[in-house]
Amino acid sequence: MSLRRSSATLLLMFLLAIEASGAKLELKEKRLGDQIFDFLDKNRDKKITIPEMNSQMMYLEKMANEGGEGDENTEELRRIFRGLKRAAPYLFNLMDQDEDRRLDKQEMKFLDTFEESLNKNGNCRIFVKEVFEILDDDVDDRLDADEILEGTKSNFLLGEIANSMHQFFSLRDSAWELKIHIKRAMRSLWGDELDREGVVEGMKWFDTDGDGYIQWLELADIYNSFGNKFIGMAGEIKRAGPMMGMFGDDRGGEKDKAKDAFQKFAQQSSNVDISGLSGLEF
């Protein structure tokens, strides 16, 4: 069950980060991939490098740390940016299809594909279900630590997950090429050692009732909540062009404007209305 911060939540983090960016945008609404590209392409050479990405992450982290102490919205963004800083390299490598250690606009279109996959009966829902079923060895609609640990070690199971991922998100020419990225994502989720202790610790994020298992219904609830939040945030980001243009200038009064805009975004990001989004149901 390799979908969590390693894919889905990582993308939500990117979406939250793009609004707090220095990108100069037109009023015309852009697709998500284009907006995130404009944010990360610091030197505007139409390529994103890992140093550029790290620099922008550090800028956002700095902005978050300069926010009001005790403010719930700002504290939430701080947690998001800390997670983003840690996990972004995994997503970068996954999206780097030609493996030249740079991302271009075409490669960033994966984010548009992911957004569309969250629609009702979309590919993301099917992929999550298939990964769960691959790992659920005894077919009891729940995963224990041993089943997940086996999934991190078994070349056969990793191959099955890669085949499913390639069917819905063909980020490489073959499923075989995706296996190494799935293994890296698992390390971000279950720990670098991929041992039982790390798996048990990682399961706590999904095991909402604390019974030591990841029930299918628990995972479905997390997916539905995340998917609805993601769609709501995507709408906010697409409407945020004018505000986004206020970020990125660290000089004098512009820095103060950026801080004010950041606080405004923190407030808006906590008020996304997802009450009408009921399509993301298993």
Side-chain angles (χ1 to χ4, degrees):
M1 205 244 344
S2 61
L3 196 66
R4 186 204 133 194
R5 285 193 293 259
S6 49
S7 58
T9 302
L10 294 184
L11 291 173
L12 176 59
M13 290 176 180
F14 263 117
L15 289 175
L16 290 168
I18 179 58
E19 182 150 348
S21 72
K24 302 289 186 180
L25 299 178
E26 301 173 358
L27 293 180
K28 182 179 178 181
E29 181 176 294
K30 291 186 177 182
R31 292 175 67 84
L32 292 178
D34 288 340
Q35 293 216 28
I36 295 172
F37 185 92
D38 288 342
F39 158 57
L40 292 176
D41 183 21
K42 186 176 180 180
N43 64 4
R44 301 296 183 260
D45 67 349
K46 300 183 179 180
K47 293 284 186 178
I48 299 167
T49 63
I50 290 178
E52 278 182 308
M53 179 184 69
N54 290 340
S55 175
Q56 295 296 75
M57 296 301 101
M58 289 176 64
Y59 176 80
L60 294 180
E61 187 175 34
K62 178 182 176 182
M63 289 295 297
N65 288 336
E66 291 179 354
E69 293 298 328
D71 179 75
E72 182 178 347
N73 302 316
T74 302
E75 289 297 329
E76 176 64 17
L77 287 182
R78 285 173 179 165
R79 289 191 291 270
I80 288 168
F81 293 149
R82 284 195 296 267
L84 174 61
K85 185 178 179 181
R86 174 189 171 206
Y90 294 97
L91 184 58
F92 185 103
N93 290 330
L94 177 64
M95 295 171 62
D96 183 17
Q97 297 182 43
D98 58 10
E99 300 185 356
D100 66 348
R101 298 185 65 79
R102 299 185 298 175
L103 296 179
D104 57 31
K105 278 202 171 185
Q106 184 62 37
E107 289 169 324
M108 292 291 286
K109 290 185 183 298
F110 167 70
L111 300 182
D112 303 325
T113 300
F114 181 80
E115 179 190 12
E116 293 166 0
S117 78
L118 288 171
N119 293 329
K120 187 175 182 179
N121 299 320
N123 290 338
C124 190
R125 177 189 63 85
I126 302 171
F127 173 63
V128 172
K129 180 65 172 174
E130 287 192 1
V131 171
F132 187 94
E133 291 175 347
I134 289 168
L135 297 177
D136 186 16
D137 183 58
D138 55 8
V139 197
D140 62 352
D141 274 344
R142 64 182 189 177
L143 301 177
D144 59 32
D146 291 331
E147 287 174 319
I148 295 173
L149 187 61
E150 178 65 16
T152 69
K153 306 291 186 182
S154 167
N155 283 328
F156 175 76
L157 293 180
L158 287 171
E160 290 292 294
I161 294 171
N163 284 333
S164 178
M165 184 174 185
H166 189 261
Q167 177 184 356
F168 300 122
F169 306 107
S170 48
L171 289 163
R172 294 294 186 278
D173 291 336
S174 68
W176 181 86
E177 295 173 89
L178 289 174
K179 285 177 65 175
I180 186 172
H181 297 283
I182 292 172
K183 197 72 174 278
R184 287 171 179 168
M186 286 182 168
R187 287 194 176 98
S188 75
L189 179 59
W190 310 120
D192 290 337
E193 300 302 322
L194 290 179
D195 54 16
R196 199 175 195 283
E197 181 180 357
V199 168
V200 169
E201 183 63 28
M203 287 176 65
K204 293 177 181 178
W205 196 85
F206 300 97
D207 182 18
T208 55
D209 65 6
D211 68 350
Y213 296 91
I214 300 175
Q215 312 282 346
W216 168 245
L217 291 179
E218 289 175 321
L219 181 58
D221 284 345
I222 291 171
Y223 174 89
N224 292 336
S225 176
F226 163 75
N228 285 327
K229 183 72 172 180
F230 184 102
I231 291 174
M233 284 303 308
E236 289 296 318
I237 289 168
K238 289 178 179 180
R239 292 187 289 271
M243 189 195 312
M244 290 166 62
M246 298 180 67
F247 289 87
D249 195 334
D250 218 23
R251 299 170 299 176
E254 296 303 316
K255 180 178 180 181
D256 292 335
K257 290 180 182 179
K259 290 173 67 175
D260 290 344
F262 185 92
Q263 295 299 320
K264 183 177 179 182
F265 168 67
Q267 179 63 40
Q268 288 182 346
S269 69
S270 70
N271 292 328
V272 173
D273 181 8
I274 65 173
S275 61
L277 301 174
S278 58
L280 293 171
E281 298 179 357
F282 282 95

